[in-house]
Every structure is written in C-alpha cells, then in structure tokens.
Amino acid sequence: MRAEVTVRNAGLLFLLRGLALAGGVLYAALVPRSMGPEAYGAFALVTSLSVWFELASGLGLTQVISRETPLLQRMEGPSGLGRFFGSLLTLRLASGLVASVAFFLFTRLWLQEIDVWVLAAVAATVVIQGVGATVYSFFLGLNQAARWGANDVLSRWVPIGFLVVGYRLSGLPGACLGLLVAELIIAFVALFWARSHLSWEGLRTGWSRLIPYLRFALGFYVSALILAVFQRSGEPLVRLFTGDYVQVAYFGLAASAITAADTVIPQVTSAFAPFLTTLQALGDPDRVARWAERLVRWLGILGVVAIAGAFLMGSDLVLVVLGEDFAPVSVYLAILALTLIPQAVSSVSRMLAVVYVRPGEVVRASILRLALLWILGPVLLLRLGGIGACFAVLAATTGYAIALAWRMRRAVSYPFQRWGMALALGGIFVPLIWLRSDWWINAGLFALFLATYAGLLLALRLVGVDEVKAALQVLRRRPESRLAETPSPF
C-alpha cells in the first residue's frame, strides 16, 4: 500500500532525525569549542556562503525527481530511470563546477582576511555536496525517503572528526580540508546505494530530453535559490553590520541548532509528495486536504514542544554543550525556535505547490520573505546587534508562511482550527519561563509541560488515541510496493 510505504518512510525519517540531532549535539560540543568563537565565526560564514552557490547549482532537480520518478518508474521501467538519473547527475556535475569557481572568486574578493586555502577547500565541497545531494534525491523519488534522509545524518556525523583533527593539525585550512574529505565519503555512500540505478549510458545521455522537466523545475529552482539566500543571509548580515566574527558565531550556532530541528519538517512533508501526487492524479482532493491538515497539526505540535525546550532548558544545554564562551547563544536559540511554527505551515504549503504544480506561488512568497529579511535585518541589527537578526528571521518566516498558505488555498483548502488550538494550548505554559532556576528545576518544568500538554491534546481530541495506534501499526508493517490504495485510518 503506497500510503503505508509513505508513512513508514516518514516514521523512519523521524528516527533518522534523532540520529542527526545527536550528531548535531556532538558537533556543537567539539567543533566550536576546539576553534573558539572568532575562528568558528569565520568558518560559519564561509560555509554559509557556500550553501548559496551549492543550491544555485541545484537547478530545482529535487522537485523534478520527487514528482517525475514515480511516473517514469511505471511507464519506462528501470532502463528509463537509469537514463533519466544519469542525465540529471551529469547536468548537476557541470553546474556544480561553475558554482564552485563562482564561490571562490566571490569570497576571495570579499573575505580577503581569510586564508586562500580555506576558500579553495570549501569551493571544492560545493561540487561534491551538489552531486551527493542529487543522488540522495533519487531515493526520495523512489519512495525511499529514509535513504534520502540518511544524507542529513551522515552530514552531521561524518565531518566531526575530520574537522577537529584538521583544525588541530593546521588551523582553519586543515579543518576545511577535513570537511572536503568528509563530503567525499558522504557522496560515495550515495553513489554506492544508487549503483543499480546508474549506468554509463545514462551519464552519456544528452540533456535535450531534460528540457521539459527543467521548465517545470524553473519556478522551484528560483524559489530554492531565494530560500538559500534567505537561510544563509544571517551570518553575512551580522558580519556586514557588526563586523564581529564572535556575533557571527553566536548567530550561526543558534541557526544551526534550529536547522537541525526544523529539517525534519520539510523532509517529512517532502516524503508525502509522491503519495499525494498520486491522490491528486486520481482526482481525490479531499484526501489530499485531510493529509495536509494532519501534517500541519502534528508538525505544529512538535514545534510547540521544541520551543518549550528552548525556552526552559536552552541555557542549560548551551552551557553543557558549548561552554561559557558561547553562553549568549541561548538567547539567539530561544528566538529562532519560534520560527518552527510558521515553518510547519510553509513546508506543507510548499509540498502542495509541488503536487499541484504551482511553482509561481512559492517564488512570490519566497521573494516576500527575502525582502522582509533584508529590510528588517539591517534596522534590527543596528539597534540590537546579532539578536536583531533573529527577530528579522522570525518576522520574515512568518510572513512567508502566511503568504504561501493564502495563495495555495485556491488549489487545495484545509482547516487550521485544530492546529491553532494546539498552538494556543502551548501558550498556556508561558508562565513557566518565570519559574526557571537550576538545571534540575528547569528539567522538571519541561517534564511537567510535556505531561500536561500531552494530556490536554488527548482530552481535547487534538491527538486521537486511535490515530496514534494506527500510525504505530503502519510503521511496524513491512512496506509494500503496490500502488493500489486501500481504506486507511489516515
């Protein structure tokens, strides 16, 4: 049953997110400590800028893969998929090389105080990351979202040792060379898993057959590029308006922590894209709407839990993981945690835009979000320092979610009442912030929140016991490859 396969993969993504979060904690405990605030600030800025160029070379291929692979698999079989994947991979390699050169030239002109070997090593990772990300995206299209999500887990764990050892041996250049080695390993794993779907014939296939797909991807490519600029504008803005690499480090660490948490949101929603595309093709918009409402509600609840953890225990965790030198990160973290709520709405809306082929809606909302950040960011940075960037990101993320959901209502409309009730219940616990004290009291407050919040959700039937049981039963079953649909409690 395709629904059960999809839900099972989504469940596995949650488990993988746990591993990724653990890797993120270990990374934060070792890498920033070993470098110190100023050196880590420089590293965070350079790697953030590299993401702009890596995603610029992406050409919107992930959306093409997630939508077209199920159809090609049914119509052309393995040989057609091999030619399709090979053509995309060759195109991605070429665009990655162009992006790598552009990144090196840009950073060499702007960041002249940073060692040229740092910039060269990170430039090389732009190509490697791009190829690896494309191969991992193949698994999303094959409805193997767990393997797709493994990319994030490996990206959290594999570089840690190389970064720490590289920095100890040769400072920041050594750390960046270590990062390059780690990215090569991660890309090799993807190629090994995908070897049965790749062939030399596919890699040599001309790009002309991709033109119709690239036309479809154009809107999503533009929105992804705008998203990359948005997500990685914080560090450059802080550098431009404060000139302080320490504040860059504080913002970068908080943003990385939130990214580690909120990556699960677009991953889970993207895992449902092939399934909902099938429902849409079968002319069943009501089921699409019901799935969308459930996704928003459940992701909103997870966001409330994460926000409570950041406000009640964030400062304790920062001290344990990062140490006294990075104590101000907890304030940045608490503010950025609030972005998880609008992120749930915007991720579901973006996934529906893929299903209903509405890339223009995503582009318009993305432009609004970026404009809000660049307009509010400088003003708030000049008044509040690095923390101002956090408030600018929150305002821009909220505006994006509202605009995109409002525009997508014309394609598919679903209710937000139960999602809003779940958020309102979380607001009841705001007074707990003023009871914070020692770490053990804060942990007790968080445990009290979890127990009470869960009880209220069940009592008000915002989370149904039958729904939870059905989900667990689905996750325990062996996934089936059949496309046929059967009645489901979901």
Side-chain angles (χ1 to χ4, degrees), residues 15 18 22 65 82 85 162 184 188 192 233 246 252-253 256 272 308 338 342 348 365 446 450 452 460 464 473 486 488:
L15 296 177
I65 291 169
F85 287 170
F162 292 101
L184 286 168
F188 175 79
F192 179 78
S233 284
V246 174
L253 283 168
S256 296
F272 281 84
L338 296 172
V348 173
F446 184 59
L450 288 177
T452 310
L460 295 175
Q473 290 174 358
T486 60
S488 168

mmCIF file of all heavy atoms in Angstrom, residues 15 18 22 65 82 85 162 184 188 192 233 246 252-253 256 272 308 338 342 348 365 446 450 452 460 464 473 486 488:
data_model
loop_
_atom_site.group_PDB
_atom_site.id
_atom_site.type_symbol
_atom_site.label_atom_id
_atom_site.label_comp_id
_atom_site.label_asym_id
_atom_site.label_seq_id
_atom_site.Cartn_x
_atom_site.Cartn_y
_atom_site.Cartn_z
ATOM 1 N N LEU A 15 13.121 8.828 13.071
ATOM 2 C CA LEU A 15 14.203 8.129 13.767
ATOM 3 C C LEU A 15 15.568 8.641 13.309
ATOM 4 O O LEU A 15 16.479 8.845 14.120
ATOM 5 C CB LEU A 15 14.096 6.622 13.506
ATOM 6 C CG LEU A 15 12.840 5.934 14.052
ATOM 7 C CD1 LEU A 15 12.842 4.458 13.665
ATOM 8 C CD2 LEU A 15 12.745 6.086 15.566
ATOM 9 N N GLY A 18 16.507 11.801 14.901
ATOM 10 C CA GLY A 18 17.091 11.638 16.227
ATOM 11 C C GLY A 18 18.592 11.448 16.143
ATOM 12 O O GLY A 18 19.361 12.037 16.914
ATOM 13 N N ALA A 22 21.509 14.024 17.446
ATOM 14 C CA ALA A 22 22.622 13.595 18.295
ATOM 15 C C ALA A 22 23.958 13.991 17.678
ATOM 16 O O ALA A 22 24.878 14.440 18.370
ATOM 17 C CB ALA A 22 22.557 12.083 18.507
ATOM 18 N N ILE A 65 12.742 15.263 -9.531
ATOM 19 C CA ILE A 65 12.908 13.862 -9.168
ATOM 20 C C ILE A 65 11.714 13.370 -8.363
ATOM 21 O O ILE A 65 11.148 12.296 -8.628
ATOM 22 C CB ILE A 65 14.209 13.663 -8.383
ATOM 23 C CG1 ILE A 65 15.419 13.890 -9.304
ATOM 24 C CG2 ILE A 65 14.279 12.266 -7.769
ATOM 25 C CD1 ILE A 65 16.741 13.983 -8.584
ATOM 26 N N GLY A 82 17.246 4.828 -15.362
ATOM 27 C CA GLY A 82 18.694 4.948 -15.444
ATOM 28 C C GLY A 82 19.116 6.094 -16.344
ATOM 29 O O GLY A 82 20.017 6.864 -16.017
ATOM 30 N N PHE A 85 18.104 9.457 -14.507
ATOM 31 C CA PHE A 85 19.001 9.780 -13.401
ATOM 32 C C PHE A 85 20.390 10.166 -13.911
ATOM 33 O O PHE A 85 21.023 11.097 -13.404
ATOM 34 C CB PHE A 85 19.122 8.592 -12.446
ATOM 35 C CG PHE A 85 17.906 8.363 -11.594
ATOM 36 C CD1 PHE A 85 17.784 7.209 -10.840
ATOM 37 C CD2 PHE A 85 16.883 9.289 -11.550
ATOM 38 C CE1 PHE A 85 16.668 6.988 -10.042
ATOM 39 C CE2 PHE A 85 15.764 9.079 -10.759
ATOM 40 C CZ PHE A 85 15.654 7.928 -10.011
ATOM 41 N N PHE A 162 36.962 14.786 11.221
ATOM 42 C CA PHE A 162 37.852 15.428 10.254
ATOM 43 C C PHE A 162 38.048 16.908 10.570
ATOM 44 O O PHE A 162 39.145 17.449 10.395
ATOM 45 C CB PHE A 162 37.291 15.260 8.842
ATOM 46 C CG PHE A 162 37.312 13.843 8.344
ATOM 47 C CD1 PHE A 162 36.167 13.059 8.357
ATOM 48 C CD2 PHE A 162 38.495 13.280 7.864
ATOM 49 C CE1 PHE A 162 36.186 11.756 7.896
ATOM 50 C CE2 PHE A 162 38.527 11.972 7.398
ATOM 51 C CZ PHE A 162 37.367 11.215 7.427
ATOM 52 N N LEU A 184 33.396 13.907 0.476
ATOM 53 C CA LEU A 184 33.684 12.846 -0.497
ATOM 54 C C LEU A 184 33.152 11.502 -0.013
ATOM 55 O O LEU A 184 32.593 10.719 -0.793
ATOM 56 C CB LEU A 184 35.192 12.767 -0.749
ATOM 57 C CG LEU A 184 35.799 13.888 -1.605
ATOM 58 C CD1 LEU A 184 37.320 13.852 -1.526
ATOM 59 C CD2 LEU A 184 35.341 13.763 -3.052
ATOM 60 N N PHE A 188 30.175 9.236 -1.758
ATOM 61 C CA PHE A 188 30.467 7.851 -2.159
ATOM 62 C C PHE A 188 29.384 6.901 -1.658
ATOM 63 O O PHE A 188 28.979 5.979 -2.373
ATOM 64 C CB PHE A 188 31.837 7.431 -1.634
ATOM 65 C CG PHE A 188 32.157 5.983 -1.902
ATOM 66 C CD1 PHE A 188 32.592 5.576 -3.147
ATOM 67 C CD2 PHE A 188 31.987 5.031 -0.900
ATOM 68 C CE1 PHE A 188 32.872 4.234 -3.402
ATOM 69 C CE2 PHE A 188 32.261 3.686 -1.141
ATOM 70 C CZ PHE A 188 32.704 3.289 -2.401
ATOM 71 N N PHE A 192 27.143 4.476 -4.032
ATOM 72 C CA PHE A 192 27.142 3.028 -3.819
ATOM 73 C C PHE A 192 25.714 2.511 -3.706
ATOM 74 O O PHE A 192 25.359 1.490 -4.297
ATOM 75 C CB PHE A 192 27.927 2.699 -2.551
ATOM 76 C CG PHE A 192 27.962 1.236 -2.230
ATOM 77 C CD1 PHE A 192 28.818 0.377 -2.914
ATOM 78 C CD2 PHE A 192 27.126 0.706 -1.254
ATOM 79 C CE1 PHE A 192 28.847 -0.977 -2.612
ATOM 80 C CE2 PHE A 192 27.143 -0.644 -0.956
ATOM 81 C CZ PHE A 192 28.009 -1.492 -1.636
ATOM 82 N N SER A 233 21.541 34.180 4.924
ATOM 83 C CA SER A 233 21.802 35.617 4.953
ATOM 84 C C SER A 233 22.160 36.110 6.346
ATOM 85 O O SER A 233 22.740 37.192 6.485
ATOM 86 C CB SER A 233 20.583 36.400 4.446
ATOM 87 O OG SER A 233 20.470 36.327 3.049
ATOM 88 N N VAL A 246 32.609 37.034 16.354
ATOM 89 C CA VAL A 246 32.057 36.372 17.539
ATOM 90 C C VAL A 246 30.530 36.356 17.467
ATOM 91 O O VAL A 246 29.888 35.332 17.724
ATOM 92 C CB VAL A 246 32.538 37.078 18.822
ATOM 93 C CG1 VAL A 246 31.843 36.490 20.042
ATOM 94 C CG2 VAL A 246 34.050 36.934 18.964
ATOM 95 N N GLY A 252 25.302 31.891 14.091
ATOM 96 C CA GLY A 252 25.457 30.679 13.296
ATOM 97 C C GLY A 252 25.168 29.414 14.076
ATOM 98 O O GLY A 252 24.535 28.486 13.566
ATOM 99 N N LEU A 253 25.614 29.362 15.325
ATOM 100 C CA LEU A 253 25.356 28.177 16.145
ATOM 101 C C LEU A 253 23.872 28.023 16.451
ATOM 102 O O LEU A 253 23.320 26.918 16.383
ATOM 103 C CB LEU A 253 26.157 28.260 17.445
ATOM 104 C CG LEU A 253 27.649 27.939 17.312
ATOM 105 C CD1 LEU A 253 28.388 28.344 18.579
ATOM 106 C CD2 LEU A 253 27.841 26.445 17.042
ATOM 107 N N SER A 256 22.127 26.949 13.305
ATOM 108 C CA SER A 256 22.410 25.539 13.012
ATOM 109 C C SER A 256 21.587 24.613 13.890
ATOM 110 O O SER A 256 21.100 23.575 13.435
ATOM 111 C CB SER A 256 23.899 25.249 13.200
ATOM 112 O OG SER A 256 24.677 25.973 12.286
ATOM 113 N N PHE A 272 5.858 12.881 1.662
ATOM 114 C CA PHE A 272 4.473 12.652 1.283
ATOM 115 C C PHE A 272 4.168 13.128 -0.129
ATOM 116 O O PHE A 272 3.073 12.882 -0.639
ATOM 117 C CB PHE A 272 3.531 13.357 2.272
ATOM 118 C CG PHE A 272 3.335 12.613 3.553
ATOM 119 C CD1 PHE A 272 4.244 12.737 4.591
ATOM 120 C CD2 PHE A 272 2.258 11.768 3.727
ATOM 121 C CE1 PHE A 272 4.078 12.042 5.773
ATOM 122 C CE2 PHE A 272 2.084 11.069 4.902
ATOM 123 C CZ PHE A 272 2.984 11.202 5.944
ATOM 124 N N ALA A 308 9.217 24.990 23.732
ATOM 125 C CA ALA A 308 9.240 24.880 25.190
ATOM 126 C C ALA A 308 10.603 24.421 25.678
ATOM 127 O O ALA A 308 11.138 24.923 26.673
ATOM 128 C CB ALA A 308 8.150 23.904 25.647
ATOM 129 N N LEU A 338 11.094 29.964 17.686
ATOM 130 C CA LEU A 338 9.721 30.368 17.348
ATOM 131 C C LEU A 338 9.425 30.211 15.862
ATOM 132 O O LEU A 338 8.261 30.118 15.464
ATOM 133 C CB LEU A 338 9.484 31.817 17.776
ATOM 134 C CG LEU A 338 9.561 32.091 19.286
ATOM 135 C CD1 LEU A 338 9.501 33.589 19.548
ATOM 136 C CD2 LEU A 338 8.428 31.384 20.022
ATOM 137 N N PRO A 342 5.680 28.781 12.056
ATOM 138 C CA PRO A 342 5.372 29.087 10.654
ATOM 139 C C PRO A 342 6.031 28.130 9.672
ATOM 140 O O PRO A 342 5.518 27.919 8.570
ATOM 141 C CB PRO A 342 5.889 30.518 10.478
ATOM 142 C CG PRO A 342 6.868 30.742 11.580
ATOM 143 C CD PRO A 342 6.360 29.913 12.727
ATOM 144 N N VAL A 348 4.263 22.507 4.418
ATOM 145 C CA VAL A 348 3.117 21.787 3.847
ATOM 146 C C VAL A 348 2.619 22.515 2.605
ATOM 147 O O VAL A 348 2.309 21.887 1.580
ATOM 148 C CB VAL A 348 1.999 21.637 4.890
ATOM 149 C CG1 VAL A 348 0.742 21.050 4.249
ATOM 150 C CG2 VAL A 348 2.465 20.738 6.036
ATOM 151 N N ALA A 365 6.070 34.106 -2.748
ATOM 152 C CA ALA A 365 6.177 34.123 -1.279
ATOM 153 C C ALA A 365 7.639 34.171 -0.842
ATOM 154 O O ALA A 365 7.976 34.829 0.154
ATOM 155 C CB ALA A 365 5.487 32.893 -0.690
ATOM 156 N N PHE A 446 10.097 21.293 32.306
ATOM 157 C CA PHE A 446 9.882 20.786 30.952
ATOM 158 C C PHE A 446 9.112 19.462 30.980
ATOM 159 O O PHE A 446 8.218 19.233 30.153
ATOM 160 C CB PHE A 446 11.219 20.602 30.242
ATOM 161 C CG PHE A 446 11.099 20.178 28.806
ATOM 162 C CD1 PHE A 446 10.410 20.967 27.889
ATOM 163 C CD2 PHE A 446 11.667 18.991 28.367
ATOM 164 C CE1 PHE A 446 10.293 20.580 26.563
ATOM 165 C CE2 PHE A 446 11.561 18.596 27.044
ATOM 166 C CZ PHE A 446 10.876 19.389 26.136
ATOM 167 N N LEU A 450 5.514 18.663 29.241
ATOM 168 C CA LEU A 450 5.252 17.552 28.333
ATOM 169 C C LEU A 450 4.043 16.728 28.768
ATOM 170 O O LEU A 450 3.163 16.413 27.958
ATOM 171 C CB LEU A 450 6.486 16.655 28.242
ATOM 172 C CG LEU A 450 7.697 17.193 27.470
ATOM 173 C CD1 LEU A 450 8.845 16.208 27.539
ATOM 174 C CD2 LEU A 450 7.331 17.469 26.017
ATOM 175 N N THR A 452 1.537 17.528 30.859
ATOM 176 C CA THR A 452 0.278 18.273 30.847
ATOM 177 C C THR A 452 -0.179 18.572 29.429
ATOM 178 O O THR A 452 -1.372 18.460 29.105
ATOM 179 C CB THR A 452 0.428 19.586 31.636
ATOM 180 O OG1 THR A 452 0.995 19.311 32.908
ATOM 181 C CG2 THR A 452 -0.913 20.264 31.817
ATOM 182 N N LEU A 460 -8.756 16.940 24.529
ATOM 183 C CA LEU A 460 -9.486 17.757 23.550
ATOM 184 C C LEU A 460 -9.537 17.103 22.175
ATOM 185 O O LEU A 460 -10.028 17.711 21.215
ATOM 186 C CB LEU A 460 -8.837 19.137 23.442
ATOM 187 C CG LEU A 460 -8.897 19.998 24.709
ATOM 188 C CD1 LEU A 460 -8.114 21.293 24.518
ATOM 189 C CD2 LEU A 460 -10.352 20.298 25.079
ATOM 190 N N GLY A 464 -5.697 11.903 18.490
ATOM 191 C CA GLY A 464 -6.553 10.768 18.807
ATOM 192 C C GLY A 464 -5.741 9.529 19.145
ATOM 193 O O GLY A 464 -4.736 9.240 18.497
ATOM 194 N N GLN A 473 0.893 0.938 14.114
ATOM 195 C CA GLN A 473 0.689 -0.321 13.398
ATOM 196 C C GLN A 473 1.246 -0.242 11.983
ATOM 197 O O GLN A 473 1.886 -1.171 11.492
ATOM 198 C CB GLN A 473 -0.799 -0.663 13.362
ATOM 199 C CG GLN A 473 -1.374 -1.064 14.712
ATOM 200 C CD GLN A 473 -2.873 -1.251 14.667
ATOM 201 O OE1 GLN A 473 -3.507 -1.048 13.633
ATOM 202 N NE2 GLN A 473 -3.459 -1.630 15.801
ATOM 203 N N THR A 486 -5.911 1.163 -0.341
ATOM 204 C CA THR A 486 -6.938 0.518 0.462
ATOM 205 C C THR A 486 -7.377 1.483 1.535
ATOM 206 O O THR A 486 -6.681 2.445 1.837
ATOM 207 C CB THR A 486 -6.382 -0.754 1.133
ATOM 208 O OG1 THR A 486 -5.291 -0.388 1.974
ATOM 209 C CG2 THR A 486 -5.916 -1.763 0.095
ATOM 210 N N SER A 488 -7.787 3.447 4.849
ATOM 211 C CA SER A 488 -6.772 3.690 5.866
ATOM 212 C C SER A 488 -7.325 4.605 6.937
ATOM 213 O O SER A 488 -8.121 5.495 6.642
ATOM 214 C CB SER A 488 -5.531 4.324 5.231
ATOM 215 O OG SER A 488 -4.664 4.821 6.214
#
